[in-house]
Amino acid sequence: GAKWTYDGPQGQDHWSERYPYCGGALQSPIDFESDLLRFDPTLRPIEVQNYKLSPNEQLTLGNNGHSVQLSLSPMMSISSLHNRYTAAQLHFHWGSASRPAGSEHTVNNKQYAAELHVVHYNSDKYPNISTAVDKSDGLAVLGVLVEVGMFNPAFEHILKFINGIKYRDQKVKVPGFNIRALLPTRLDEYYRYDGSLTTPPCYPSVLWTVFRNPITISRKQFLTLATALYSSNAQDSAPMPLNNNYRKTQPVDSRLILVSFKE
Ligand SMILES: NS(=O)(=O)c1c(F)c(F)c(S(=O)(=O)CCO)c(N[C@H]2CCc3ccccc32)c1F
Ligand SMILES: [Zn+2]
């Protein structure tokens, strides 16, 4: 993608100079501060379809210079929202080896080690994600907070290939696996609000669902994610480590943060 970074002269404090929406309303991520939460009894459990991919499916795992992203099957979707949202890709945000705090959303200002985003687009209304990405009802992203703890076997389906995509624009084909295993057990407890892409162009086009319960990965798995990748390409003389790829929390303003759980 275009030249923007998380720190330095092209860093997040300068995004709005080139990408006006980044300085606009409805920005993500945000802090889920207890006093701002409102229980909404109409929020139904999230239902996903076809997340259990066959190992015969080939997915593309890539380093796009901002994150590690995995292309997803167009058979995958969220079926419990007003429109059907079809999966496009998943990617991660993380901290660094010395500071395992890199989630984008925070809970009462607690930042988790990392965060997984599964990006979907409104396939009832738009033919593909590129046409949906700048529409107010265009995207739905599932967010999963990640903390360091028990080893996570599902995460290995991605981590075991990570040394093949160390540098920007490198891609490898990986076998499909059960993407549902990357989500927490309970899909009925989540935060819900209207927000944006957390990277430029920061379009306010995302219906955010962030699950209440984190998943865990082991310290070794976290260190692999936090130390394996570079945002620079292979031939660059000065390799730039890819870490701390999270946007700071943004003003909530007058937005409602809904929760599907009572306490
Ligand atoms: N945190 S987030 O969920 O807001 C989010 C990202 F953080 C992120 F890095 C990306 S990206 O495509 O890897 C790089 C910049 O778009 C996307 N990519 C999305 C947005 C634009 C687009 C177009 C085609 C496929 C995926 C995406 C994204 F939605
Ligand atoms: Zn993201």
Side-chain angles (χ1 to χ4, degrees):
K3 269 174 66 59
W4 53 267
T5 60
Y6 283 93
D7 212 348
Q10 322 277 351
Q12 53 188 287
D13 299 342
H14 300 280
W15 287 355
S16 57
E17 293 157 25
R18 278 202 211 162
Y19 304 95
Y21 286 107
C22 297
L26 303 185
Q27 291 298 288
S28 295
I30 60 172
D31 178 45
F32 298 130
E33 200 242 302
S34 297
D35 297 349
L36 296 181
L37 305 180
R38 173 179 305 182
F39 170 64
D40 179 344
T42 71
L43 291 178
R44 311 308 320 141
I46 295 298
E47 289 168 25
V48 293
Q49 306 296 326
N50 304 315
Y51 262 47
K52 191 179 172 77
L53 300 179
S54 150
N56 301 327
E57 278 228 51
Q58 289 242 308
L59 306 174
T60 302
L61 185 71
N63 174 343
N64 61 23
H66 312 297
S67 182
V68 49
Q69 77 174 51
L70 182 67
S71 68
L72 296 174
S73 159
M75 296 294 291
M76 292 172 58
S77 70
I78 303 169
S79 52
S80 50
L81 298 173
H82 284 130
N83 291 130
R84 175 174 297 276
Y85 285 79
T86 296
Q89 53 110 291
L90 65 80
H91 62 269
F92 297 87
H93 304 266
W94 58 87
S96 65
S98 55
R99 187 177 176 274
S103 69
E104 296 209 302
H105 292 91
T106 56
V107 181
N108 293 318
N109 283 307
K110 173 192 162 74
Q111 190 174 24
Y112 286 77
E115 189 168 335
L116 158 65
H117 291 154
V118 192
V119 182
H120 305 72
Y121 70 93
N122 185 336
S123 47
D124 281 351
K125 293 198 172 174
Y126 308 106
N128 54 50
I129 187 162
S130 301
T131 45
V133 73
D134 62 347
K135 309 297 189 294
S136 59
D137 58 355
L139 302 184
V141 181
L142 300 181
V144 182
L145 300 165
V146 182
E147 61 186 3
V148 173
M150 286 278 289
F151 173 80
N152 188 323
F155 221 73
E156 286 304 295
H157 291 285
I158 292 171
L159 285 184
K160 72 184 169 200
F161 299 103
I162 204 159
N163 286 326
I165 54 163
K166 290 189 80 60
Y167 298 97
R168 183 190 195 104
D169 297 335
Q170 290 186 328
K171 296 178 180 351
V172 291
K173 289 287 186 186
V174 305
F177 62 98
N178 183 7
I179 307 291
R180 172 69 182 83
L182 288 176
L183 306 183
T185 311
R186 296 192 66 163
L187 304 185
D188 61 319
E189 296 194 331
Y190 54 84
Y191 304 89
R192 164 66 52 76
Y193 76 99
D194 291 326
S196 73
L197 298 180
T198 68
T199 59
C202 305
Y203 295 129
S205 60
V206 181
L207 181 68
W208 277 98
T209 300
V210 179
F211 294 108
R212 181 190 197 180
N213 301 302
I215 61 166
T216 65
I217 61 175
S218 68
R219 175 158 303 284
K220 186 169 179 289
Q221 288 179 305
F222 178 80
L223 288 174
T224 298
L225 176 64
T227 59
L229 304 175
Y230 295 93
S231 58
S232 46
N233 39 51
Q235 56 268 29
D236 276 12
S237 48
M240 295 283 294
L242 176 50
N243 52 37
N244 297 311
N245 57 342
Y246 62 90
R247 191 187 193 184
K248 289 177 218 145
T249 51
Q250 303 296 307
V252 176
D253 298 325
S254 57
R255 283 182 277 183
L256 270 180
I257 310 173
L258 303 175
V259 287
S260 65
F261 52 92
K262 269 204 169 148
E263 69 280 309

